[in-house]
Coordinates of all heavy atoms in Angstrom, one line a residue:
M1 N -2.4 41.9 30.1 CA -1.7 40.9 29.4 C -0.4 41.4 29.0 O -0.2 42.2 28.1 CB -2.6 40.5 28.2 CG -2.0 39.4 27.4 SD -2.9 39.0 25.9 CE -4.5 38.7 26.4
S2 N 0.7 41.0 29.7 CA 2.0 41.5 29.4 C 2.7 40.7 28.3 O 3.5 41.3 27.6 CB 2.8 41.4 30.7 OG 3.0 40.1 31.1
E3 N 2.4 39.4 28.1 CA 3.1 38.6 27.1 C 2.2 37.6 26.5 O 1.5 37.0 27.2 CB 4.3 37.9 27.8 CG 5.2 37.2 26.9 CD 6.4 36.6 27.6 OE1 6.9 37.2 28.6 OE2 6.7 35.4 27.3
V4 N 2.3 37.5 25.2 CA 1.5 36.4 24.5 C 2.5 35.4 24.1 O 3.5 35.7 23.4 CB 0.8 37.0 23.4 CG1 0.0 36.0 22.6 CG2 -0.2 38.1 23.8
R5 N 2.2 34.1 24.4 CA 3.0 33.0 23.9 C 2.3 32.2 22.9 O 1.1 32.0 23.0 CB 3.4 32.1 25.1 CG 4.4 32.8 26.1 CD 4.8 31.9 27.1 NE 3.6 31.4 27.9 CZ 3.7 30.5 28.9 NH1 4.8 30.1 29.3 NH2 2.6 30.2 29.5
K6 N 3.0 31.7 22.0 CA 2.4 30.8 20.9 C 2.0 29.5 21.6 O 2.7 29.0 22.5 CB 3.5 30.5 19.9 CG 3.4 31.4 18.7 CD 4.4 30.9 17.6 CE 3.7 30.7 16.3 NZ 4.6 30.4 15.3
A7 N 0.9 28.9 21.1 CA 0.5 27.6 21.6 C 1.5 26.6 21.1 O 2.0 26.7 20.0 CB -0.9 27.3 21.1
K8 N 1.7 25.6 21.9 CA 2.6 24.5 21.5 C 1.8 23.4 20.9 O 0.7 23.1 21.3 CB 3.3 23.9 22.7 CG 4.3 24.9 23.3 CD 5.0 24.2 24.5 CE 6.0 25.2 25.1 NZ 6.6 24.6 26.3
R9 N 2.4 22.8 19.8 CA 1.7 21.7 19.2 C 1.9 20.5 20.1 O 3.0 20.1 20.5 CB 2.3 21.4 17.8 CG 1.6 20.4 17.1 CD 2.1 20.3 15.6 NE 3.5 20.5 15.5 CZ 4.3 19.8 14.7 NH1 3.8 18.8 14.0 NH2 5.5 20.1 14.6
R10 N 0.8 19.8 20.4 CA 0.8 18.7 21.3 C 0.6 17.4 20.7 O 0.9 16.4 21.3 CB -0.2 19.0 22.5 CG 0.1 20.2 23.2 CD -0.8 20.4 24.3 NE -0.8 21.7 24.9 CZ 0.1 22.1 25.9 NH1 0.8 21.2 26.4 NH2 0.1 23.3 26.3
V11 N 0.0 17.3 19.5 CA -0.3 16.1 18.9 C 0.1 16.2 17.4 O 0.0 17.3 16.8 CB -1.8 15.6 19.0 CG1 -2.1 15.3 20.4 CG2 -2.7 16.7 18.4
S12 N 0.4 15.1 16.8 CA 0.6 15.0 15.4 C -0.7 14.6 14.7 O -1.3 13.6 15.2 CB 1.8 14.1 15.1 OG 2.0 14.0 13.7
V13 N -1.0 15.2 13.6 CA -2.3 14.9 12.9 C -1.9 14.5 11.5 O -1.2 15.2 10.8 CB -3.2 16.1 12.9 CG1 -4.5 15.9 12.2 CG2 -3.5 16.6 14.3
S14 N -2.5 13.4 11.0 CA -2.3 12.9 9.7 C -3.3 13.7 8.7 O -4.3 14.3 9.2 CB -2.6 11.4 9.5 OG -4.0 11.2 9.7
P15 N -3.0 13.7 7.4 CA -4.0 14.3 6.5 C -5.4 13.8 6.6 O -6.4 14.6 6.6 CB -3.4 14.0 5.1 CG -1.9 13.8 5.4 CD -1.8 13.2 6.7
G16 N -5.6 12.5 6.8 CA -6.9 11.9 7.0 C -7.6 12.4 8.2 O -8.8 12.7 8.2
E17 N -6.8 12.5 9.3 CA -7.4 13.1 10.6 C -7.8 14.5 10.4 O -8.8 15.0 11.0 CB -6.4 12.9 11.7 CG -6.2 11.5 12.1 CD -5.0 11.2 13.1 OE1 -4.0 12.0 12.9 OE2 -5.1 10.4 13.9
S18 N -7.0 15.3 9.6 CA -7.3 16.7 9.4 C -8.6 16.8 8.7 O -9.5 17.7 9.0 CB -6.2 17.5 8.7 OG -6.0 17.0 7.4
V19 N -8.8 15.9 7.7 CA -10.1 15.9 7.0 C -11.3 15.7 8.0 O -12.3 16.4 8.0 CB -10.1 14.9 5.9 CG1 -11.6 14.7 5.3 CG2 -9.1 15.3 4.8
R20 N -11.1 14.7 8.8 CA -12.2 14.3 9.8 C -12.4 15.4 10.8 O -13.6 15.8 11.0 CB -11.8 13.0 10.5 CG -12.8 12.6 11.6 CD -12.4 11.5 12.4 NE -11.1 11.7 13.1 CZ -11.0 12.4 14.2 NH1 -12.0 13.0 14.8 NH2 -9.8 12.6 14.7
I21 N -11.4 16.0 11.3 CA -11.5 17.1 12.3 C -12.3 18.3 11.6 O -13.3 18.8 12.2 CB -10.1 17.5 12.8 CG1 -9.6 16.4 13.7 CG2 -10.3 18.8 13.6 CD1 -8.1 16.6 14.0
I22 N -11.9 18.7 10.5 CA -12.5 19.9 9.8 C -13.9 19.5 9.5 O -14.9 20.3 9.6 CB -11.7 20.4 8.6 CG1 -10.3 20.9 9.1 CG2 -12.5 21.4 7.9 CD1 -9.4 21.2 8.0
R23 N -14.2 18.3 9.0 CA -15.5 17.8 8.6 C -16.4 17.9 9.9 O -17.5 18.4 9.9 CB -15.5 16.4 8.1 CG -16.9 15.8 7.8 CD -16.8 14.4 7.3 NE -16.2 13.5 8.2 CZ -16.7 12.9 9.3 NH1 -18.0 13.3 9.7 NH2 -16.1 12.0 10.0
E24 N -15.9 17.4 11.0 CA -16.7 17.3 12.2 C -16.9 18.7 12.8 O -18.0 19.0 13.3 CB -16.1 16.4 13.3 CG -16.1 15.0 12.9 CD -15.4 14.1 13.9 OE1 -14.7 14.6 14.8 OE2 -15.6 12.8 13.8
L25 N -16.0 19.6 12.7 CA -16.1 21.0 13.1 C -17.2 21.7 12.4 O -17.9 22.6 12.9 CB -14.8 21.8 13.0 CG -13.8 21.5 14.1 CD1 -12.5 22.1 13.7 CD2 -14.2 21.9 15.5
Q26 N -17.4 21.3 11.1 CA -18.5 21.9 10.3 C -19.8 21.1 10.4 O -20.7 21.4 9.6 CB -18.0 22.0 8.8 CG -16.8 23.0 8.7 CD -16.4 23.2 7.3 OE1 -17.1 23.0 6.4 NE2 -15.2 23.8 7.2
E27 N -19.8 20.1 11.3 CA -21.0 19.3 11.5 C -21.5 18.6 10.3 O -22.7 18.6 10.0 CB -22.1 20.1 12.2 CG -21.6 20.7 13.6 CD -22.6 21.5 14.3 OE1 -23.7 21.9 13.7 OE2 -22.4 21.8 15.4
L28 N -20.6 18.1 9.5 CA -20.9 17.3 8.3 C -20.7 15.9 8.6 O -19.7 15.5 9.2 CB -20.1 17.7 7.1 CG -20.3 19.1 6.5 CD1 -19.2 19.4 5.5 CD2 -21.6 19.3 5.9
S29 N -21.6 15.0 8.1 CA -21.4 13.6 8.1 C -20.5 13.2 6.9 O -20.3 14.0 6.0 CB -22.7 12.8 8.0 OG -23.3 13.0 6.7
Q30 N -20.0 12.0 7.0 CA -19.2 11.5 5.8 C -20.0 11.5 4.6 O -19.6 11.8 3.5 CB -18.6 10.1 6.1 CG -17.4 10.1 7.0 CD -16.8 8.7 7.2 OE1 -17.4 7.7 6.7 NE2 -15.7 8.6 7.8
N31 N -21.3 11.1 4.7 CA -22.2 11.0 3.6 C -22.4 12.4 3.0 O -22.4 12.6 1.8 CB -23.5 10.4 4.0 CG -23.5 8.9 4.0 OD1 -22.7 8.3 3.3 ND2 -24.2 8.3 5.0
Q32 N -22.6 13.4 3.9 CA -22.8 14.8 3.4 C -21.6 15.3 2.7 O -21.7 15.9 1.6 CB -23.2 15.7 4.6 CG -24.5 15.4 5.1 CD -24.8 16.2 6.4 OE1 -23.9 16.3 7.3 NE2 -26.0 16.7 6.6
L33 N -20.4 15.1 3.3 CA -19.2 15.5 2.6 C -19.0 14.9 1.3 O -18.6 15.5 0.3 CB -18.0 15.3 3.5 CG -16.6 15.6 3.0 CD1 -16.5 17.1 2.6 CD2 -15.5 15.3 4.0
A34 N -19.2 13.6 1.2 CA -19.1 12.8 0.0 C -20.0 13.4 -1.1 O -19.6 13.5 -2.2 CB -19.4 11.3 0.2
D35 N -21.3 13.6 -0.7 CA -22.2 14.1 -1.7 C -21.8 15.5 -2.2 O -21.8 15.8 -3.4 CB -23.6 14.3 -1.1 CG -24.3 13.0 -0.9 OD1 -23.9 12.0 -1.5 OD2 -25.3 12.9 -0.1
L36 N -21.3 16.4 -1.3 CA -20.9 17.7 -1.7 C -19.6 17.7 -2.6 O -19.4 18.5 -3.5 CB -20.6 18.6 -0.5 CG -21.9 19.0 0.3 CD1 -21.5 19.6 1.6 CD2 -22.8 19.9 -0.5
A37 N -18.7 16.7 -2.3 CA -17.5 16.6 -3.0 C -17.6 15.7 -4.3 O -16.7 15.7 -5.1 CB -16.4 16.0 -2.1
G38 N -18.8 15.1 -4.5 CA -19.0 14.2 -5.6 C -18.1 12.9 -5.6 O -17.6 12.5 -6.7
M39 N -17.9 12.3 -4.4 CA -17.2 11.1 -4.4 C -17.9 10.2 -3.4 O -18.8 10.6 -2.7 CB -15.8 11.4 -3.8 CG -15.7 11.9 -2.4 SD -14.0 12.2 -1.8 CE -13.4 13.4 -2.9
P40 N -17.6 8.9 -3.5 CA -18.3 7.9 -2.7 C -18.0 8.1 -1.2 O -16.9 8.5 -0.9 CB -17.8 6.5 -3.2 CG -17.2 6.8 -4.5 CD -16.7 8.2 -4.5
Q41 N -18.9 7.8 -0.3 CA -18.7 7.9 1.1 C -17.6 7.0 1.5 O -16.8 7.3 2.4 CB -20.0 7.5 1.9 CG -19.9 7.6 3.4 CD -19.4 6.2 4.0 OE1 -19.6 5.2 3.4 NE2 -18.7 6.3 5.1
S42 N -17.4 5.8 0.8 CA -16.3 4.9 1.2 C -15.0 5.5 0.9 O -14.0 5.2 1.7 CB -16.5 3.6 0.4 OG -16.5 3.8 -1.0
T43 N -14.9 6.4 0.0 CA -13.6 7.1 -0.3 C -13.3 8.0 0.8 O -12.1 8.1 1.3 CB -13.6 7.8 -1.6 OG1 -13.9 6.8 -2.7 CG2 -12.3 8.5 -1.9
V44 N -14.3 8.8 1.3 CA -14.1 9.7 2.4 C -13.6 8.9 3.6 O -12.7 9.3 4.3 CB -15.4 10.5 2.7 CG1 -15.2 11.3 4.0 CG2 -15.7 11.4 1.5
S45 N -14.3 7.8 3.9 CA -13.9 7.0 5.1 C -12.5 6.5 4.9 O -11.7 6.5 5.9 CB -14.9 5.8 5.1 OG -14.5 4.9 6.2
A46 N -12.1 6.0 3.7 CA -10.8 5.5 3.5 C -9.7 6.5 3.7 O -8.7 6.3 4.2 CB -10.7 4.8 2.1
I47 N -10.0 7.7 3.2 CA -9.1 8.9 3.4 C -8.9 9.2 4.9 O -7.8 9.3 5.4 CB -9.6 10.1 2.7 CG1 -9.5 10.0 1.2 CG2 -8.8 11.4 3.1 CD1 -10.2 11.0 0.4
E48 N -10.0 9.2 5.6 CA -10.0 9.6 7.0 C -9.2 8.5 7.9 O -8.6 8.8 8.8 CB -11.4 9.8 7.6 CG -12.0 11.1 7.1 CD -13.4 11.3 7.7 OE1 -13.8 10.6 8.6 OE2 -14.0 12.4 7.4
R49 N -9.3 7.2 7.4 CA -8.6 6.1 8.1 C -7.2 5.9 7.6 O -6.5 5.1 8.1 CB -9.4 4.8 7.9 CG -10.7 4.9 8.6 CD -11.6 3.6 8.2 NE -12.8 3.6 8.9 CZ -13.0 2.8 10.0 NH1 -12.1 2.1 10.5 NH2 -14.2 2.9 10.6
G50 N -6.8 6.7 6.6 CA -5.4 6.6 6.1 C -5.2 5.4 5.2 O -4.1 5.0 4.9
R51 N -6.3 4.8 4.7 CA -6.2 3.6 3.8 C -6.0 4.1 2.3 O -5.5 3.3 1.5 CB -7.4 2.8 3.9 CG -7.5 2.1 5.3 CD -8.7 1.2 5.3 NE -8.8 0.6 6.6 CZ -9.8 -0.1 7.0 NH1 -10.8 -0.4 6.2 NH2 -9.8 -0.7 8.2
V52 N -6.4 5.3 2.0 CA -6.2 5.8 0.7 C -5.5 7.2 0.8 O -5.8 8.0 1.7 CB -7.6 6.1 0.0 CG1 -7.5 6.9 -1.2 CG2 -8.3 4.7 -0.2
N53 N -4.5 7.4 0.0 CA -3.8 8.7 -0.1 C -4.8 9.8 -0.4 O -5.6 9.6 -1.3 CB -2.7 8.7 -1.1 CG -1.4 8.4 -0.5 OD1 -1.2 8.5 0.8 ND2 -0.4 8.1 -1.3
L54 N -4.6 10.9 0.3 CA -5.5 12.1 0.0 C -5.2 12.6 -1.4 O -6.1 12.7 -2.2 CB -5.2 13.2 1.0 CG -6.0 14.4 0.9 CD1 -7.5 14.2 0.8 CD2 -5.7 15.4 2.0
G55 N -4.0 12.8 -1.8 CA -3.6 13.2 -3.1 C -4.0 14.7 -3.4 O -4.9 15.2 -2.7
V56 N -3.4 15.3 -4.3 CA -3.6 16.7 -4.7 C -5.0 16.9 -5.1 O -5.7 17.9 -4.7 CB -2.6 17.2 -5.7 CG1 -2.8 18.6 -6.1 CG2 -1.2 17.1 -5.1
D57 N -5.5 16.1 -6.1 CA -6.8 16.4 -6.7 C -7.9 16.2 -5.6 O -8.8 17.1 -5.5 CB -7.1 15.5 -7.8 CG -6.2 15.8 -9.1 OD1 -5.9 17.0 -9.2 OD2 -5.9 14.9 -9.9
R58 N -7.8 15.2 -4.8 CA -8.8 15.0 -3.8 C -8.7 16.1 -2.7 O -9.8 16.6 -2.2 CB -8.7 13.6 -3.1 CG -9.1 12.5 -4.0 CD -9.1 11.2 -3.1 NE -9.4 10.1 -3.9 CZ -8.6 9.0 -4.1 NH1 -7.5 9.0 -3.4 NH2 -8.9 8.0 -4.8
A59 N -7.5 16.5 -2.4 CA -7.3 17.6 -1.4 C -8.0 18.9 -1.9 O -8.6 19.6 -1.1 CB -5.8 17.8 -1.2
K60 N -7.8 19.2 -3.2 CA -8.4 20.4 -3.8 C -9.9 20.3 -3.7 O -10.6 21.3 -3.3 CB -8.0 20.6 -5.2 CG -6.6 21.0 -5.4 CD -6.2 21.2 -6.8 CE -4.8 21.6 -7.1 NZ -4.5 21.6 -8.5
T61 N -10.5 19.2 -4.0 CA -11.9 19.0 -4.0 C -12.5 19.1 -2.6 O -13.5 19.8 -2.4 CB -12.3 17.6 -4.6 OG1 -11.8 17.5 -6.0 CG2 -13.8 17.4 -4.6
L62 N -11.9 18.4 -1.7 CA -12.4 18.4 -0.3 C -12.2 19.8 0.3 O -13.0 20.3 1.1 CB -11.7 17.4 0.6 CG -12.1 15.9 0.2 CD1 -11.2 14.9 1.0 CD2 -13.5 15.7 0.5
A63 N -11.0 20.5 0.0 CA -10.8 21.8 0.6 C -11.8 22.8 0.1 O -12.3 23.7 0.8 CB -9.4 22.3 0.2
R64 N -12.2 22.7 -1.2 CA -13.3 23.6 -1.7 C -14.6 23.4 -0.9 O -15.2 24.4 -0.5 CB -13.5 23.2 -3.2 CG -14.0 24.4 -4.0 CD -14.0 24.1 -5.5 NE -12.6 23.9 -6.0 CZ -12.2 22.9 -6.6 NH1 -13.0 21.9 -6.9 NH2 -11.0 22.8 -7.0
V65 N -14.9 22.1 -0.6 CA -16.2 21.9 0.1 C -16.0 22.3 1.6 O -17.0 22.9 2.1 CB -16.5 20.4 0.0 CG1 -17.7 20.0 0.9 CG2 -16.8 20.0 -1.4
L66 N -14.8 22.1 2.2 CA -14.6 22.4 3.6 C -14.2 23.8 3.8 O -14.0 24.2 4.9 CB -13.6 21.4 4.1 CG -14.0 19.9 4.2 CD1 -12.8 19.1 4.6 CD2 -15.1 19.7 5.2
K67 N -14.1 24.6 2.7 CA -13.7 26.0 2.8 C -12.4 26.2 3.5 O -12.4 27.0 4.5 CB -14.9 26.8 3.4 CG -16.2 26.7 2.6 CD -17.3 27.5 3.3 CE -18.6 27.4 2.5 NZ -19.3 26.1 2.7
C68 N -11.4 25.5 3.1 CA -10.1 25.7 3.7 C -9.1 25.6 2.5 O -9.4 25.2 1.4 CB -9.8 24.7 4.8 SG -9.7 23.0 4.2
H69 N -7.8 25.9 2.8 CA -6.8 25.8 1.8 C -6.4 24.3 1.7 O -6.3 23.6 2.8 CB -5.6 26.6 2.2 CG -4.6 26.8 1.1 ND1 -3.7 25.8 0.8 CD2 -4.4 27.8 0.2 CE1 -2.9 26.2 -0.3 NE2 -3.4 27.4 -0.6
P70 N -6.1 23.7 0.6 CA -5.7 22.3 0.4 C -4.5 22.0 1.3 O -4.4 20.9 1.8 CB -5.4 22.2 -1.0 CG -6.1 23.2 -1.7 CD -6.2 24.4 -0.8
A71 N -3.6 22.9 1.5 CA -2.4 22.7 2.3 C -2.8 22.3 3.8 O -2.0 21.6 4.4 CB -1.4 23.9 2.3
V72 N -3.9 22.8 4.2 CA -4.3 22.5 5.6 C -4.6 21.0 5.7 O -4.4 20.4 6.8 CB -5.6 23.3 6.0 CG1 -6.2 22.9 7.3 CG2 -5.3 24.8 6.0
L73 N -5.1 20.4 4.6 CA -5.4 19.0 4.7 C -4.2 18.2 4.3 O -4.0 17.1 5.0 CB -6.5 18.7 3.6 CG -7.8 19.5 3.8 CD1 -8.8 19.2 2.6 CD2 -8.5 19.2 5.1
V74 N -3.4 18.6 3.4 CA -2.2 17.8 3.0 C -1.1 17.9 3.9 O -0.4 16.9 4.2 CB -1.8 18.2 1.5 CG1 -0.6 17.4 1.1 CG2 -2.9 18.1 0.6
F75 N -0.8 19.0 4.5 CA 0.3 19.2 5.4 C -0.2 19.7 6.8 O 0.2 20.8 7.2 CB 1.3 20.2 4.8 CG 1.8 19.9 3.5 CD1 1.4 20.6 2.4 CD2 2.7 18.8 3.3 CE1 1.9 20.3 1.1 CE2 3.1 18.5 2.0 CZ 2.8 19.2 0.9
P76 N -1.0 18.9 7.5 CA -1.5 19.5 8.8 C -0.5 19.8 9.8 O -0.7 20.6 10.7 CB -2.4 18.3 9.2 CG -1.9 17.1 8.6 CD -1.3 17.6 7.3
G77 N 0.7 19.1 9.8 CA 1.7 19.4 10.8 C 2.8 20.3 10.4 O 3.9 20.4 11.1
W78 N 2.6 21.0 9.3 CA 3.7 21.9 8.8 C 4.0 23.0 9.8 O 3.2 23.7 10.3 CB 3.2 22.5 7.5 CG 4.2 23.2 6.7 CD1 4.5 24.6 6.8 CD2 5.1 22.7 5.7 NE1 5.5 24.9 6.0 CE2 5.9 23.8 5.3 CE3 5.3 21.5 5.2 CZ2 6.9 23.6 4.4 CZ3 6.3 21.3 4.3 CH2 7.1 22.4 3.8
D79 N 5.3 23.1 10.0 CA 5.8 24.1 11.0 C 6.4 25.3 10.2 O 7.5 25.2 9.7 CB 6.8 23.5 12.0 CG 7.3 24.5 13.0 OD1 6.9 25.6 13.0 OD2 8.0 24.0 14.0
T80 N 5.6 26.3 10.0 CA 6.1 27.4 9.2 C 7.3 28.1 9.8 O 8.1 28.6 9.1 CB 4.9 28.4 9.0 OG1 4.4 28.9 10.2 CG2 3.8 27.9 8.1
D81 N 7.4 28.2 11.1 CA 8.5 28.8 11.8 C 9.8 28.1 11.5 O 10.8 28.7 11.2 CB 8.3 29.0 13.3 CG 7.2 29.9 13.6 OD1 6.9 30.9 12.8 OD2 6.6 29.8 14.7
A82 N 9.8 26.8 11.6 CA 10.9 26.0 11.3 C 11.4 26.1 9.9 O 12.5 26.1 9.6 CB 10.7 24.5 11.7
E83 N 10.4 26.1 9.0 CA 10.7 26.1 7.6 C 11.3 27.5 7.1 O 12.1 27.6 6.3 CB 9.5 25.8 6.7 CG 9.0 24.3 6.9 CD 10.1 23.4 6.4 OE1 10.8 23.6 5.4 OE2 10.2 22.3 7.1
S84 N 10.8 28.6 7.7 CA 11.3 29.9 7.4 C 12.7 30.1 7.9 O 13.4 31.0 7.4 CB 10.3 31.0 7.9 OG 10.2 31.0 9.3
A85 N 13.1 29.4 9.0 CA 14.4 29.6 9.6 C 15.4 28.8 8.8 O 16.6 29.0 8.9 CB 14.4 29.1 11.0
A86 N 15.0 27.8 8.0 CA 15.9 27.0 7.2 C 16.6 27.7 6.1 O 16.3 28.6 5.6 CB 15.2 25.7 6.8

């Protein structure tokens, strides 16, 4: 292996989609996530569909349950390389 190249981002992901992706990777249903987060399943569904803003408080709650940093949910498309060069 002579050279390692960074993977290119190919799709843009919304905060709601990031919640859904991480939830599905952990094999949780919306009902299970809602129960663990202490919120209605309809709220989880609305977040995933982009009908309700994720918001800081919900992001913290869901991140705790999904075992990830809240920024992963709130800023899924954040380009750290571009931001550090600015």
Side-chain angles (χ1 to χ4, degrees):
M1 184 185 306
S2 61
E3 186 179 323
V4 176
R5 292 185 300 181
K6 266 184 128 173
K8 293 181 183 178
R9 185 171 35 136
R10 300 183 191 269
V11 295
S12 182
V13 178
S14 71
E17 290 169 325
S18 68
V19 170
R20 180 187 54 79
I21 290 166
I22 295 171
R23 174 182 61 77
E24 289 178 350
L25 285 171
Q26 295 187 20
E27 299 180 350
L28 291 172
S29 68
Q30 284 184 350
N31 283 326
Q32 290 169 320
L33 178 57
D35 287 343
L36 292 169
M39 63 179 65
Q41 179 273 330
S42 59
T43 301
V44 173
S45 176
I47 290 168
E48 290 185 2
R49 291 173 179 258
R51 294 182 179 174
V52 169
N53 260 346
L54 180 55
V56 175
D57 290 333
R58 287 187 186 123
K60 288 178 183 178
T61 300
L62 291 173
R64 205 170 297 124
V65 173
L66 294 170
K67 299 177 181 81
C68 67
H69 194 280
V72 173
L73 303 177
V74 178
F75 304 110
W78 189 269
D79 185 352
T80 56
D81 291 335
E83 292 301 320
S84 63

